[in-house]
């Protein structure tokens, strides 16, 4: 194959984790940050509202950014203004959120993979599901031991109008950079979210060590292996 561009997922891929453990740890912390800021709301109800806001982003139809979709949903659900709500959230993601690194398993091989891909002349993109603000994504990049400057784009909720597994999310990256799908490889661990891009003609590499397949979908990927396997695989790709 001839590949020129490699798209990488972050959570569960370059930053090994079990998604459910990560979410169960940081969501109560997020709720507590709102309580500490004087917001009167039941923590369990708050977490449910945040999940519904997440669904609003997943269902975004491209008419607004994921950030706008999330906070538009949250506005009537919280007793404070969207602006104040987002300020509390951003303060949390800059600070207390970093405690959630304890639910992840960073490995130096992730940075070596990206660096090796760049050494070989591939363009690299961080195609992480854009449901987090930029500051939260930058922190997770740091947890993973990666260099944000190694990526041509880092997708976040401020700039994206779709989420995985919506093909429009991937099409947005391809169109923005004028990429030929046949010259792209998507590396991810989530069968639904990351392998959906195959419908656009993009080849995929499924990271098996932390594979997520919540819906028990057929596993169809051109390549599979662990992160260590991926590091070796980078040297076999024709570009």
């Amino acid at each position: 194959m001839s590949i020129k561009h490699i798209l990488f997922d972050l959570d569960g891929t370059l930053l090994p984790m079990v998604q459910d453990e990560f979410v169960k740890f940081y969501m109560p912390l997020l709720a507590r940050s709102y309580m500490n800021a004087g917001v009167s709301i039941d923590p369990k109800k708050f977490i449910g509202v945040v999940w519904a806001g997440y669904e609003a982003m997943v269902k975004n139809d491209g008419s607004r950014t994921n950030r706008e979709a999330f906070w538009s949903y949250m506005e009537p659900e919280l007793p404070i203004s969207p602006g104040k709500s987002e300020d509390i959230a951003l303060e949390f993601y800059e600070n207390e959120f970093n405690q959630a690194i304890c639910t992840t398993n960073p490995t130096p091989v992730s940075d070596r993979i990206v660096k090796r891909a760049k050494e070989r002349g591939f363009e690299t993109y961080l195609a992480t599901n854009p449901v987090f603000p930029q500051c939260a994504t930058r922190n997770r990049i740091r947890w993973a031991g990666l260099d944000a400057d190694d990526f041509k784009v880092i997708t976040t909720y401020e700039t994206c109008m779709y989420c995985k597994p919506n093909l429009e999310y991937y099409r947005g990256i391809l169109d923005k950079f004028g990429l030929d799908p046949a010259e792209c490889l998507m590396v991810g661990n989530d069968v639904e979210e990351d392998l959906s891009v195959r419908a656009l003609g993009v080849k995929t590499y499924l990271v098996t060590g932390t594979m997520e397949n919540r819906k028990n979908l057929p596993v169809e990927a051109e390549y599979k292996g662990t992160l260590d396997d991926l590091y070796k695989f980078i040297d076999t790709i024709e570009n």
Side-chain angles (χ1 to χ4, degrees), residues 5-11 13-14 110 112-118 122-129 146 150-151 153-155 164 169-170 173 185-189 194 205 207 227 230 234 237:
H5 310 276
I6 304 180
L7 287 66
F8 292 98
D9 175 56
L10 179 60
D11 299 333
T13 301
L14 293 180
S110 293
R112 290 202 294 267
I113 287 167
V114 178
K115 292 283 197 294
R116 184 56 185 154
K118 289 177 67 68
F122 301 110
E123 295 282 5
T124 53
Y125 308 75
L126 196 64
T128 178
N129 206 8
L146 303 171
D150 282 339
F151 302 102
V153 72
I154 297 169
T155 54
K164 299 178 182 178
Y169 162 73
Y170 291 107
I173 298 173
L185 176 71
M186 175 68 201
V187 176
N189 72 304
D194 299 319
Y205 188 107
V207 176
L227 285 177
L230 175 60
I234 294 293
I237 304 175

Side-chain angles (χ1 to χ4, degrees), residues 39 65 96 112 128 141 144 151 186 193 235:
V39 180
T65 64
E96 292 95 332
R112 290 202 294 267
T128 178
I141 290 168
F151 302 102
M186 175 68 201
E193 293 185 354
D235 278 339

Side-chain angles (χ1 to χ4, degrees), residues 62-120:
S63 61
R64 53 189 173 176
T65 64
N66 290 341
R67 171 180 173 266
E68 291 166 337
F70 180 79
W71 291 110
S72 292
Y73 177 85
M74 296 292 283
E75 180 174 5
E77 301 292 334
L78 296 178
I80 55 176
S81 71
K84 177 63 174 172
S85 295
E86 187 171 27
D87 286 345
I88 295 171
L90 294 179
E91 175 72 17
F92 166 78
Y93 283 119
E94 287 281 12
N95 297 290
E96 292 95 332
F97 179 61
N98 287 306
Q99 296 175 40
I101 190 175
C102 71
T103 66
T104 70
N105 296 288
T107 170
V109 75
S110 293
D111 187 54
R112 290 202 294 267
I113 287 167
V114 178
K115 292 283 197 294
R116 184 56 185 154
K118 289 177 67 68
E119 286 170 4
R120 292 216 54 224

Side-chain angles (χ1 to χ4, degrees), residues 181-230:
E183 296 179 341
C184 297
L185 176 71
M186 175 68 201
V187 176
N189 72 304
D190 192 295
V191 172
E192 180 183 21
E193 293 185 354
D194 299 319
L195 302 189
S196 65
V197 73
R198 296 179 74 243
L200 297 179
V202 174
K203 296 180 180 67
T204 55
Y205 188 107
L206 179 66
V207 176
T208 54
T210 48
M211 185 181 79
E212 299 259 1
N213 190 7
R214 288 175 288 276
K215 296 182 179 179
N216 291 314
L217 299 172
V219 179
E220 299 176 352
E222 283 73 20
Y223 310 98
K224 302 175 188 176
T226 65
L227 285 177
D228 287 328
D229 294 332
L230 175 60

